[in-house]
Amino acid sequence: MIVCGCVSMCVVCALNEVTLVVIMWQDVDDGGISERPGNMADIFHTYFGVAGLALLGHLKAVGAPYEDIDPAYALPVSLVAKLGVTSQSVPAPKV
């Protein structure tokens, strides 16, 4: 059972289903994405919903204007490069 609009960032599921869920939970009148259908949209679920749609390739597929986002800073990649900042990542454990 899916219980959260930011599911695209925290639940492993079929990509098309996740995309549809996030799209269904957007507020078409006022904008944004909510935690559940019928709830008020908020910045947290909108941010992670849009980030999830970008990472799943949906925004590129529909031709939406967006720029690749640096996952460490949540800023456009071009801005991170311009600022010259770097990040560290922890390697995935060997299975």
Side-chain angles (χ1 to χ4, degrees):
M1 178 169 132
I2 298 173
V3 296
C4 179
C6 59
V7 53
S8 59
M9 296 298 288
C10 59
V11 174
V12 176
C13 186
L15 300 183
N16 288 337
E17 291 177 18
V18 172
T19 300
L20 291 174
V21 166
V22 173
I23 291 170
M24 287 185 334
W25 291 356
Q26 65 183 320
D27 184 332
V28 294
D29 296 324
D30 297 321
I33 298 171
S34 64
E35 178 183 11
R36 293 181 181 91
N39 283 11
M40 182 178 226
D42 61 73
I43 189 68
F44 176 82
H45 290 93
T46 298
Y47 175 83
F48 284 106
V50 171
L53 291 175
L55 291 170
L56 293 170
H58 178 75
L59 298 181
K60 186 177 279 187
V62 298
Y66 81 99
E67 187 173 337
D68 288 337
I69 301 296
D70 182 285
Y73 294 108
L75 295 170
V77 170
S78 62
L79 178 60
V80 172
K82 182 178 178 181
L83 295 172
V85 294
T86 59
S87 62
Q88 296 178 339
S89 60
V90 178
K94 295 182 180 182
V95 183

